């Protein structure tokens, strides 16, 4: 166990570390029935018509075998790197999942509507239960970096690795189609489906069909499995990952709808991960069962013989992958700031060029408004906020200052006079949950016009009455440029009413192309500054400072 100080221990290593999985019974029963049907159908077929014919494996004469075969060096390297990156994606993905351990097919994420949860807890109804309260512990043996609420660092690994995963995948697919190798995994005749079924009937009734030598060809079921993993699950994992980006979903709401919505995309993203794992188990089992040493020579050495070298080198490869987990663990806990900066050096310029350019323009309807919205953050405990709140914020004055020509102090009524706008938008929390609400308030653009920023002002800081996770005032920053985009509001109304206490009264920020933690609630004052480096630990916000979140979370 890491030697956390008391505050971090309370967050990352809580006394309640129980792990439970609950799946909605109708889904379990559905899956159970589907598997059972496939097995029963196989047995009936064998009872009625006998074991179906699986074409005999042709005798292979390596000297005159035509057609693509063998494992060229690029296949073998891609196989290894894919394994390395995929395992890290899965491990960091599990850490991310546990920060909001519920999956839904509906975008409002109402507690109780999840189809699976990895927590023993139901959401208590008699007290405030924030999404942060709901985060669960995961062992660092399973997740990277593991423990509880380590999503900032888990995302760093996830995003570093996804670059490797995509580069490997794209390279592999290009090479696949540039050579004849694609013929090995892409079914080219509908007969393959029939043969795959026949092969399944063999397995399901405990018969082993004659195995082809994988060096020259695969059986139909194997071909379908490889095809699905490489050309369906891979792209699906990537495309559903993108469907979780607020910048994308905000600009192109139809994109998330392709997958049945933002939360459905998240569920599918998880299900592809699960499918990769299930594939891995079956794949490894069959590799071991059908001539381990020879199979290892195929994929490690590219040779088709019975020697042991491929096996030993393969074990070393697995050792390297395990070592990568150990290294990732150490870096996570000893050099988190360096990691944060390493990722930032790649993604920050890349996002400025791509996702950050998408202009928010969501249009949801009143019917889309979520019946429930997860709250997050610590309610302010300061007396001045409590007094203001008791007085309905009549006496509240928003101070806007710093590098501006015209510092102002504005009451809620003054703000209203600037002209309010209203948008129905989807909120995306870094933890994974979402919710749709109608937000009303003044566009930040108008406030900026009012105060006349000086030319040196590049960044705007929002300070809260509330505290951050480890104490100290919650704050976050935005570039002046981003605040000028459409749908960016200083909101004082939610769903047609005064902003409720829990959701940030008197004022909160809405920045629809970024994640929730950038949207400071319970705003006390706003300051125009030269750079985010001047505040706190210089990372751009309290979560960026203390939890290694991204400065620019467009995804
Ligand atoms: N002051 C303050 N603002 C905050 C937070 C916080 O902890 N303190 N949490 C942020 C996070 S992580 C999210 S997801 C949103 C949640 O907004 P909601 O409670 O309206 O759903 O508020 C953001 N603003
Ligand atoms: Mo969040």
């Amino acid at each position: 166990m890491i030697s956390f100080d008391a505050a971090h221990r309370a967050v990352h290593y809580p006394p309640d570390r129980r792990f439970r999985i609950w799946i909605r019974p109708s889904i379990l029963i559905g899956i159970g029935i589907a598997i059972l049907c496939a097995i029963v159908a196989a047995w009936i077929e064998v009872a009625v018509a006998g074991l179906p014919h699986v074409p005999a494996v042709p005798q292979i004469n390596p000297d005159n075998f035509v057609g693509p075969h063998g494992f060229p060096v690029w296949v073998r390297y891609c196989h290894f790197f894919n394994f390395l990156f995929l395992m890290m994606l899965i491990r960091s993905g599990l850490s991310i999942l546990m920060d909001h351990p519920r999956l839904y097919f509906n975008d409002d994420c109402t507690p109780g509507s999840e189809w699976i949860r990895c927590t023993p807890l139901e959401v208590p109804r008699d007290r405030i239960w924030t999404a942060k309260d709901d985060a669960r512990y995961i062992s660092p043996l399973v997740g990277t970096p593991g423990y509880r609420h380590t999503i900032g660092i888990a995302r760093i690994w996830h995003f570093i690795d996804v670059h490797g995963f995509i580069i490997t995948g794209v390279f592999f697919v290009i090479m696949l189609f540039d050579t004849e190798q694609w013929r090995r995994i892409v079914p080219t005749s509908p007969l393959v489906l029939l043969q795959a079924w026949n092969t399944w009937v063999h397995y399901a009734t405990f018969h082993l069909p004659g195995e082809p030598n994988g060096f020259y060809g695969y059986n139909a079921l194997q071909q379908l499995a490889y095809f699905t993993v490489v050309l369906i699950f891979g792209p699906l994992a990537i495309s559903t990952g993108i469907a979780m980006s607020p910048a994308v979903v905000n600009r192109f709401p139809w994109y998330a709808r392709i997958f049945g919505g933002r939360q459905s995309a998240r569920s599918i993203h998880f299900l592809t991960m699960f499918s990769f794992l299930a594939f891995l188990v079956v794949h490894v089992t069959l590799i071991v069962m059908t001539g381990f040493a020879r199979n290892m020579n195929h994929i490690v050495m590219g040779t088709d013989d019975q020697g042991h070298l491929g096996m030993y080198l393969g074990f070393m490869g697995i050792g390297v992958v395990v070592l990568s987990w150990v290294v990732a663990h150490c870096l996570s806990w000893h050099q988190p700031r360096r990691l944060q900066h390493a990722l930032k050096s790649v993604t920050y310029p890349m996002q400025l060029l791509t996702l950050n350019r998408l202009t928010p323009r969501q249009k949801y309807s009143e019917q889309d408004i979520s019946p429930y919205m997860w709250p997050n953050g610590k309610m302010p405990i300061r007396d001045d906020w409590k007094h203001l709140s008791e007085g309905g914020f009549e006496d509240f004055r928003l101070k806007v200052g710093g590098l501006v020509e015209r510092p102002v102090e504005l009451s809620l009524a003054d703000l209203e006079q600037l002209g309010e706008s209203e948008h129905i938008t989807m909120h995306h929390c870094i933890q994974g949950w979402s919710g749709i609400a109608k937000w009303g308030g003044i566009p930040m653009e108008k406030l900026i016009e009012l105060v006349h920023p000086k030319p040196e002002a590049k960044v705007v800081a929002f300070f809260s009455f509330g505290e951050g996770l480890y104490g100290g005032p919650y704050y976050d920053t935005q570039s002046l440029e981003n605040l000028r985009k459409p749908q960016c509001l200083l909101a004082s109304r939610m769903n047609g009413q005064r902003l409720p206490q829990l959701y940030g009264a008197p004022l909160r920020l809405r920045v629809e192309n970024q994640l929730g933690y950038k949207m400071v609630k319970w705003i006390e004052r706003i300051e125009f500054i030269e750079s985010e480096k001047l505040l706190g630990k210089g990372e751009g916000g309290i979560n960026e400072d203390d939890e290694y979140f991204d400065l620019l979370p467009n995804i």
Side-chain angles (χ1 to χ4, degrees):
M1 222 269 288
I2 310 284
S3 55
F4 295 117
D5 61 27
H8 285 81
R9 197 185 165 92
V11 171
H12 298 316
Y13 197 71
D16 179 4
R17 297 187 299 278
R18 289 172 300 156
F19 177 74
R20 296 280 148 73
I21 294 187
W22 173 93
I23 302 178
R24 197 187 293 164
S26 57
I27 289 186
L28 268 186
I29 293 171
I31 295 171
I33 289 179
I35 295 175
L36 208 67
C37 282
I39 294 176
V40 169
W43 281 88
I44 293 178
E45 180 178 332
V46 172
V48 175
L51 210 53
H53 174 69
V54 172
V57 181
Q59 277 305 308
I60 288 162
N61 181 353
D63 296 330
N64 59 15
F65 184 85
V66 285
H69 63 280
F71 296 85
V73 65
W74 57 269
V75 169
R76 291 179 271 135
Y77 271 91
C78 285
H79 185 260
F80 170 74
F81 281 107
N82 186 59
F83 178 53
L84 176 81
F85 294 130
L86 187 63
M87 289 313 292
M88 187 64 87
L89 280 172
I90 291 175
R91 289 175 58 88
S92 53
L94 288 172
S95 265
I96 295 171
L97 174 72
M98 293 309 274
D99 219 51
H100 187 70
R102 302 167 193 269
L103 292 168
Y104 318 80
F105 286 113
N106 44 296
D107 286 341
D108 52 83
C109 304
T110 304
S113 69
E114 64 268 17
W115 65 268
I116 182 169
R117 65 168 169 266
C118 312
T119 162
L121 304 182
E122 295 209 22
V123 173
R125 310 251 162 191
D126 54 343
R127 62 197 149 106
I128 294 175
W129 184 256
T130 65
K132 284 247 165 67
D133 294 329
D134 206 49
R136 296 299 295 184
Y137 169 88
I138 180 169
S139 164
L141 294 175
V142 180
T144 299
Y147 299 100
R148 179 178 169 278
H149 188 54
T150 53
I151 188 169
I153 297 174
R155 274 167 56 97
I156 295 176
W157 288 113
H158 211 68
F159 290 147
I160 288 177
D161 274 289
V162 82
H163 290 90
F165 180 71
I166 292 177
I167 290 170
T168 311
V170 169
F171 174 72
F172 184 76
V173 172
I174 289 176
M175 290 303 285
L176 206 59
F177 288 96
D178 191 48
T179 60
E180 288 286 292
Q181 283 279 334
W182 65 273
R183 294 184 185 279
R184 282 160 68 74
I185 68 164
V186 180
T188 44
S189 143
L191 266 182
V192 170
L193 285 177
L194 181 69
Q195 282 174 14
W197 172 258
N198 290 345
T199 310
W200 160 253
V201 173
H202 276 74
Y203 287 139
T205 56
F206 307 119
H207 296 88
L208 271 185
E211 281 291 340
N213 178 346
F215 200 75
Y216 295 96
Y218 303 129
N219 78 36
L221 199 57
Q222 197 177 6
Q223 187 186 44
L224 272 187
Y226 291 170
F227 172 77
T228 311
V229 165
V230 175
L231 292 164
I232 297 184
F233 290 162
L236 197 59
I238 296 167
S239 50
T240 49
I242 296 169
M244 289 187 267
S245 149
V248 171
V249 173
N250 231 317
R251 173 64 182 75
F252 308 111
W254 56 263
Y255 182 71
R257 282 187 211 118
I258 297 177
F259 306 100
R262 160 71 168 77
Q263 289 303 321
S264 178
R266 180 169 174 255
S267 287
I268 295 172
H269 197 68
F270 167 82
L271 286 169
T272 54
M273 181 280 287
F274 189 75
S275 309
F276 279 131
L277 272 186
F279 168 81
L280 197 74
V281 171
V282 177
H283 181 61
V284 171
T285 309
L286 285 169
I287 293 300
V288 173
M289 275 174 56
T290 59
F292 187 56
R294 184 175 206 147
N295 287 333
M296 291 300 275
N297 284 335
H298 290 173
I299 200 61
V300 177
M301 314 276 299
T303 58
D304 183 33
D305 60 66
Q306 310 268 21
H308 286 178
L309 188 56
M311 199 164 67
Y312 294 136
L313 288 176
F315 284 133
M316 273 173 63
I318 294 171
V320 169
V321 172
V322 173
L323 189 69
S324 77
W325 307 342
V326 177
V327 171
H329 179 84
C330 294
L331 286 176
S332 299
W333 294 107
H334 298 298
Q335 301 287 345
R337 189 69 75 204
R338 287 219 176 140
L339 269 184
Q340 182 187 27
H341 288 173
L343 179 70
K344 188 171 156 186
S345 65
V346 181
T347 55
Y348 187 74
M350 220 156 83
Q351 295 206 55
L352 284 181
L353 282 177
T354 56
L355 296 180
N356 191 54
R357 293 185 166 209
L358 302 175
T359 307
R361 54 156 92 145
Q362 310 181 72
K363 278 199 189 77
Y364 292 94
S365 69
E366 299 270 340
Q367 287 94 307
D368 296 323
I369 292 177
S370 303
Y372 179 89
M373 183 86 163
W374 278 87
N376 235 347
K378 284 188 188 164
M379 289 275 278
I381 45 169
R382 274 166 54 175
D383 286 335
D384 54 351
W385 181 83
K386 286 185 187 156
H387 284 136
L388 289 169
S389 183
E390 278 156 21
F393 294 101
E394 288 277 321
D395 298 330
F396 170 69
R397 297 289 176 276
L398 173 73
K399 294 177 214 57
V400 188
L403 299 174
V404 294
E405 307 285 353
R406 247 193 90 191
V408 289
E409 293 201 6
L410 302 165
S411 69
L412 289 182
D414 298 335
L415 280 168
E416 226 170 87
Q417 300 237 308
L418 294 177
E420 298 200 310
S421 291
E422 224 173 36
H423 309 287
I424 303 179
T425 54
M426 186 190 288
H427 178 94
H428 300 247
C429 173
I430 191 170
Q431 297 178 284
W433 55 270
S434 58
I436 297 172
K438 180 160 79 177
W439 304 100
I442 50 151
M444 273 306 298
E445 167 91 73
K446 290 196 178 167
L447 190 68
I448 295 170
E449 293 313 311
L450 182 76
V451 297
H452 288 293
K454 295 185 178 164
E456 318 85 89
K458 295 279 180 292
V459 168
V460 183
F462 297 81
F463 295 91
S464 174
F465 283 104
E467 295 196 335
L469 193 56
Y470 301 109
Y474 191 102
Y475 81 98
D476 209 289
T477 58
Q478 282 287 327
S479 73
L480 195 54
E481 185 209 336
N482 204 51
L483 292 174
R484 291 202 148 115
K485 288 186 184 151
Q487 297 198 331
C488 182
L489 292 183
L490 194 58
S492 56
R493 301 178 74 76
M494 178 185 186
N495 296 336
Q497 298 180 342
R498 286 286 284 278
L499 198 57
Q501 282 192 355
L502 183 57
Y503 294 96
L507 292 169
R508 72 170 301 164
L509 190 59
R510 294 299 313 167
V511 195
E512 304 300 343
N513 59 347
Q514 298 185 6
L515 292 175
Y517 65 88
K518 301 296 289 188
M519 306 186 210
V520 180
K521 309 204 291 187
W522 308 292
I523 291 176
E524 181 189 12
R525 63 189 176 89
I526 298 176
E527 208 179 310
F528 287 63
I529 53 177
E530 244 181 294
S531 159
E532 72 281 353
K533 299 202 168 62
L534 303 170
L535 297 174
K537 296 178 189 162
E539 301 298 331
I542 198 158
N543 293 292
E544 293 88 324
D545 286 346
D546 292 344
E547 295 178 68
Y548 312 99
F549 284 11
D550 314 77
L551 174 62
L552 182 59
N554 290 136
I555 186 160

